[in-house]
């Protein structure tokens, strides 16, 4: 039944609801079937979390995640609820990849290593140590970043190993609680590289240490030296720099992974079968008029171009994803701070407490600011009488409903993974966004 009407909020179209009770539901083949009781089974939605990169500005999505987790606990009457309990897949770039790893890696007790609140607090407390120049080298600090990497990697690596190495054995992609996607750029192949838990489970040559993955996705050129790493079995090599260079907003990558992964996410026909939360780290939205820029050369354009690229890549992904949801646009939520001050570009590596307090204030103001969304051919507009906090409350309710509908089966699918990544896709043509 290829022309079946869309399923909205788990409710089947009227003409399919009128089928006889002898039918059951086969979502994967698009065939409506009822259970013996006559009840229409729940049409599952894949719950996707995506977190942008942005250095110290990771405090902004961290605060949003802390609020969401608190809402899940409050609305679900479960003080032990964690972000990873309610999402089926997480994608993160740079600091977003570190946040996702913190939230979706299992601790000794089988629960996530960190709560939502603990993620942003760790950034706030350790940022000054990560972005630290030794006193002996501060005399020529301004040259660092121009002729050498500005910061040593030993502080960041020590912090990552503190949490991601257990009993002298590094945790790997296979130790995460749910599927994960974390990008970097591989200098050896001159192309993007996506660390995928799904592929790691299928073949050891795609399995990497988590602390090295976090190091790779956050290896911002001029801040840190590239990350040289190999897969667990030594077969795959990667010389990585910051994933934000090519995929600062990884939402589209997560959606594409779900659409084409028919083993872990069977029955997903399009974006109508998804709940997506995308968290940004702020954008500049800096405007220029013609008279201001018409005589600019390379020197004057240097900083504005960086801002335009950072904003443009993430915003274009947001726009494209928003358009792909169409009538189901409410199931996609992008939470972002707009109008960052120009100096915020330099504050990506400012771990001082004064900057931390500024970022916390920005995050809290973001939660109470009007929620915005892209409209077809209408640009971005505010949703009347609705704040980001309101939308996160609504999103938490949808996650709880989805979680309750699955009962004891919290995973989207229990189907074993195949022996080869090529077998993940169905033989049918790819489903467009």
């Amino acid at each position: 039944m290829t022309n079946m009407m869309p399923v909205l909020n788990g409710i089947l179209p009227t003409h399919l609801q009128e089928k006889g009770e002898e039918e059951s539901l086969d979502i994967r083949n698009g065939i409506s079937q009822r259970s013996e009781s006559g009840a229409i089974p729940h049409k599952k939605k894949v719950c996707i979390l995506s977190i942008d990169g942005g250095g110290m500005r990771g405090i902004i999505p961290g605060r949003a995640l802390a609020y969401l987790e608190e809402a899940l606990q409050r609305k679900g009457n479960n003080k032990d609820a964690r972000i990873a309990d309610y999402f089926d897949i997480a994608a993160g770039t740079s600091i977003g990849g570190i946040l996702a790893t913190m939230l979706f890696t299992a601790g000794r007790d089988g629960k996530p290593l960190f709560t939502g609140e603990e993620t942003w607090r760790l950034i706030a407390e350790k940022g000054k140590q990560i972005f630290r120049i030794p006193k002996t080298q501060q005399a020529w600090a301004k040259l660092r970043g121009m002729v050498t990497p500005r910061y040593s990697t030993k502080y960041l690596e020590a912090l990552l190993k503190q949490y991601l190495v257990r009993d002298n054995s590094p945790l790997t992609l296979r130790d995460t609680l749910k599927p994960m996607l974390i990008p970097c750029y591989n200098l050896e192949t001159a192309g993007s590289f996506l660390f995928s838990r799904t592929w790691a489970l299928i073949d050891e040559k795609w399995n990497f240490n988590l602390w090295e993955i976090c190091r790779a996705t956050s290896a911002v050129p001029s801040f840190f030296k590239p990350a040289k790493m190999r897969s667990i079995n030594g077969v795959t090599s990667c010389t990585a720099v910051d994933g934000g260079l090519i995929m600062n907003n990884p939402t589209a990558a997560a959606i594409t992974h779900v659409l084409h992964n028919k083993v872990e996410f069977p029955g997903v026909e399009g974006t109508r079968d998804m709940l997506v939360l995308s968290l940004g780290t702020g954008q500049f939205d800096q405007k220029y008029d013609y008279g201001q820029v018409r005589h600019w050369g390379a020197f004057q354009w240097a900083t504005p171009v960086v801002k335009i690229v950072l904003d443009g890549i993430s915003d274009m992904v947001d726009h494209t994803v928003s358009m792909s949801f169409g009538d189901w646009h409410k199931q996609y939520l992008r939470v972002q701070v707009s109008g960052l001050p120009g100096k915020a570009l330099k504050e990506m590596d400012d771990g001082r407490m004064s900057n931390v307090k500024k970022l916390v204030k920005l995050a809290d103001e973001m939660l109470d600011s009007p929620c915005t969304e892209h409209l077809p051919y209408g640009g971005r507009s505010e949703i009347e009488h609705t704040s980001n906090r309101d939308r996160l409350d609504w999103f938490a309710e949808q996650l709880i409903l989805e979680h309750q509908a699955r009962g004891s089966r919290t995973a989207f699918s229990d189907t074993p993974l195949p022996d080869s990544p090529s077998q993940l896709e169905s033989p049918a043509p790819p489903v467009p966004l």
Side-chain angles (χ1 to χ4, degrees):
M1 189 178 296
T2 56
N3 294 321
M4 184 181 74
M5 291 175 60
V7 176
L8 183 59
N9 294 329
I11 302 174
L12 288 170
T14 304
H15 75 283
L16 294 179
Q17 295 180 25
E18 295 172 354
K19 298 290 184 181
E21 293 187 4
E22 70 278 8
E23 296 174 332
S24 59
L25 185 70
D26 184 343
I27 297 174
R28 188 167 190 173
N29 295 318
I31 300 173
S32 171
Q33 301 173 323
R34 286 181 182 265
S35 63
E36 293 181 359
S37 65
I40 300 171
H42 171 71
K43 175 67 186 288
K44 292 186 293 185
K45 290 183 177 64
V46 181
C47 301
I48 300 172
L49 174 63
S50 174
I51 313 172
D52 287 13
M56 286 296 298
R57 299 205 312 266
I59 288 174
I60 296 172
R63 292 280 287 183
L65 287 164
Y67 180 80
L68 176 64
E69 191 169 82
E70 185 275 330
L72 290 168
Q73 295 169 351
R74 171 169 38 88
K75 293 175 179 292
N77 193 27
N78 179 7
K79 63 181 178 63
D80 295 322
R82 295 290 181 265
I83 293 289
D85 298 336
Y86 293 86
F87 285 93
D88 299 302
I89 180 172
T93 298
S94 196
I95 188 61
I98 295 175
L99 287 169
T101 301
M102 295 163 74
L103 292 167
F104 285 81
T105 300
R108 294 181 185 277
D109 57 0
K111 297 179 180 179
L113 283 173
F114 290 82
T115 65
E117 181 75 10
E118 289 168 344
T119 58
W120 76 265
R121 288 192 179 278
L122 186 71
I123 300 171
E125 292 170 6
K126 302 297 184 180
K128 192 172 182 179
Q129 179 181 340
I130 294 170
F131 298 110
R132 173 176 173 266
I133 297 177
K135 288 185 179 181
T136 56
Q137 300 176 18
Q138 287 179 356
W140 57 289
K142 290 185 178 180
L143 290 177
R144 293 181 67 95
M146 294 183 181
V147 295
T148 64
R150 185 169 177 79
Y151 304 108
S152 168
T153 60
K154 69 178 183 180
Y155 305 107
L156 174 60
E157 291 179 3
L159 181 64
L160 294 172
K161 290 176 182 179
Q162 179 181 343
Y163 296 101
L164 299 175
V165 174
R166 187 175 302 153
D167 299 327
N168 295 319
S169 296
L171 300 178
T172 74
L173 266 175
R174 294 184 175 184
D175 293 307
T176 56
L177 295 163
K178 301 285 180 69
M180 285 183 59
L181 298 170
I182 298 178
C184 70
Y185 184 85
N186 189 356
L187 295 173
E188 295 179 17
T189 62
S192 57
F193 190 97
L194 198 60
F195 298 103
S196 166
R197 182 236 199 185
T198 302
W199 282 45
L201 289 172
I202 293 173
D203 195 325
E204 190 80 345
K205 72 179 181 180
W206 303 118
N207 191 26
F208 291 82
N209 292 327
L210 283 173
W211 78 264
E212 291 185 294
I213 291 174
C214 291
R215 169 74 176 84
T217 193
S218 58
V220 181
S222 82
F223 280 11
F224 301 112
K225 66 182 179 182
K228 176 63 176 176
M229 56 198 298
R230 283 191 175 275
S231 58
I232 299 302
N233 63 5
V235 172
T236 308
S237 174
C238 182
T239 298
V241 291
D242 179 35
L245 296 173
I246 42 94
M247 196 187 296
N248 201 52
N249 178 350
T251 308
I255 291 175
T256 303
H257 178 83
V258 168
L259 286 173
H260 293 276
N261 183 343
K262 299 303 181 182
V263 175
E264 290 183 304
F265 304 104
V268 178
E269 299 171 348
T271 50
R272 66 176 177 268
D273 300 324
M274 301 178 187
L275 279 170
V276 178
L277 174 61
S278 176
L279 300 176
T281 56
Q283 60 187 46
F284 299 96
D285 292 332
Q286 189 163 342
K287 301 174 183 178
Y288 306 91
D289 59 46
Y290 175 71
Q292 180 183 3
V293 304
R294 60 177 179 163
H295 297 304
W296 279 8
F299 180 78
Q300 293 95 331
W301 274 112
T303 298
V305 163
V306 174
K307 295 176 183 177
I308 291 168
V309 170
L310 287 174
D311 276 5
I313 292 175
S314 293
D315 202 50
M316 182 55 71
V317 171
D318 176 27
H319 178 268
T320 304
V321 170
S322 183
M323 295 301 98
S324 75
F325 273 79
D327 292 340
W328 298 274
H329 60 89
K330 196 172 183 181
Q331 294 171 197
Y332 167 66
L333 173 58
R334 172 74 169 170
V335 180
Q336 176 68 299
V337 175
S338 295
L340 286 177
K343 60 183 179 180
L345 182 63
K346 299 178 181 178
E347 292 167 354
M348 290 175 64
D349 60 335
D350 185 352
R352 294 175 300 174
M353 190 51 60
S354 59
N355 189 47
V356 167
K357 291 179 179 178
K358 189 184 303 180
L359 291 169
V360 169
K361 185 174 182 289
L362 271 174
D364 292 345
E365 290 174 349
M366 173 192 71
L367 290 175
D368 292 318
S369 297
C371 186
T372 62
E373 64 179 353
H374 279 290
L375 300 176
Y377 311 108
R380 177 172 286 282
S381 65
E382 294 182 359
I383 302 177
E384 191 174 0
H385 307 305
T386 304
S387 68
N388 286 312
R389 194 183 300 273
D390 295 331
R391 284 285 276 133
L392 282 171
D393 281 334
W394 179 88
F395 203 91
E397 292 168 0
Q398 303 309 303
L399 291 173
I400 291 169
L401 288 173
E402 180 65 30
H403 189 73
Q404 292 173 341
R406 297 185 193 180
S408 60
R409 293 183 59 195
T410 57
F412 193 86
S413 172
D414 296 327
T415 305
L417 287 167
D419 296 327
S420 168
S422 63
Q423 297 172 11
L424 286 174
E425 294 191 23
S426 67
V431 181
L433 286 179

